Amino acid sequence: DDARGRLTILSLLTRLRQAACDAALLPWIGPEGASEPGGKLSVLLDRAEELCAAGKKVLIFSQFAKFIDLAKSALKTRVGEDCIYTLTGSTRDRSAPVNSFQNSSRGCVMLVSLRAGGTGITLSEADYIFLADPWWNPAVEEQAVDRAHRIGRRGDVFVYRMIAGGTVEERVRNLQARKRKLFDDLVGGLRDVSNREKFAQTIAEILR
């Protein structure tokens, strides 16, 4: 009923989103506590291995740095460490992995933080894009996808959004679809924890 309680709800929603992406992201489980890769990671590993073997270039976006770490560690045994590039908020020289990915003469994978790689870079050599977890604001996802749809791109780019059915991810996507025009306003309500009525409306829409 107060700002502190609403911040707690936001924290719990983040935990639900982490669980939907991969249980290993939850701090009380971690990579060591997960008996096997999550469903999304398993699909990504299989698809990335198949596409790299066919000489395709793959982008994998996630908002969770820990998921990028999980994917990178698992991909090393599938496609080889020299075929994996990463771009996150901690990457000091953003141009280095971007240029390596763009100029590679063989199939490869680039793991990108949704926030770090959503703007200001060109990845026009990508053939496939996987969005591992949905962002609250669809415009952020669209900006990330636009990294591959740049001047100089030849051929189609295939985009896959990975949604865990029956979870908060699916509800957020349904909310986006139903109220596309109002979505930014509703998400704004989440950021403003002082506005009790608007915050309650947004949470009810997500959890309904």
Side-chain angles (χ1 to χ4, degrees):
D1 202 27
D2 56 13
R4 179 181 296 180
R6 293 191 279 278
L7 286 172
T8 298
I9 291 174
L10 284 179
S11 176
L12 292 173
L13 280 175
T14 297
R15 296 301 184 211
L16 287 173
R17 293 166 69 200
Q18 288 175 325
C21 187
D22 197 298
L25 300 184
L26 296 171
W28 57 87
I29 296 179
E32 298 79 12
S35 59
E36 58 185 9
K40 288 189 180 185
L41 187 56
S42 295
V43 171
L44 280 173
L45 294 176
D46 291 342
R47 294 291 287 143
E49 182 178 17
E50 174 188 345
L51 292 169
C52 283
K56 303 299 183 181
K57 294 186 178 182
V58 180
L59 293 178
I60 299 176
F61 284 97
S62 176
Q63 64 194 284
F64 298 116
K66 288 184 178 180
F67 185 79
I68 290 177
D69 291 340
L70 283 174
K72 182 177 181 179
S73 178
L75 280 169
K76 288 179 181 179
T77 61
R78 295 290 196 101
V79 303
E81 188 171 3
D82 56 341
C83 292
I84 303 171
Y85 307 102
T86 58
L87 179 60
T88 66
S90 61
T91 303
R92 293 187 177 182
D93 184 2
R94 288 160 53 93
S95 63
V98 170
N99 291 337
S100 296
F101 179 86
Q102 288 285 92
N103 297 323
S104 177
S105 60
R106 56 181 175 172
C108 57
V109 179
M110 188 165 186
L111 299 161
V112 189
S113 164
L114 196 59
R115 280 298 193 182
T119 57
I121 60 173
T122 296
L123 296 165
S124 57
E125 291 298 310
D127 302 295
Y128 288 80
I129 298 175
F130 293 87
L131 296 165
D133 39 82
W135 187 255
W136 294 116
N137 187 346
V140 176
E141 295 180 5
E142 292 166 4
Q143 287 177 349
V145 171
D146 284 346
R147 299 310 95 205
H149 289 97
R150 314 296 288 178
I151 295 176
R153 171 65 199 174
R154 299 181 301 275
D156 296 327
V157 179
F158 299 91
V159 181
Y160 296 88
R161 287 177 169 83
M162 307 185 74
I163 308 296
T167 72
V168 67
E169 287 186 347
E170 188 174 53
R171 295 184 180 207
V172 168
R173 298 303 295 190
N174 289 341
L175 176 60
Q176 290 175 350
R178 293 200 321 268
K179 297 190 175 182
R180 182 80 177 187
K181 293 181 180 180
L182 297 177
F183 188 79
D184 285 347
D185 188 44
L186 285 169
V187 172
L190 281 180
R191 288 192 290 266
D192 183 10
V193 296
S194 65
N195 189 329
R196 173 184 171 186
E197 182 177 352
K198 196 170 187 179
F199 184 90
Q201 177 191 1
T202 305
I203 296 299
E205 288 283 357
I206 292 173
L207 300 181
R208 180 173 298 166

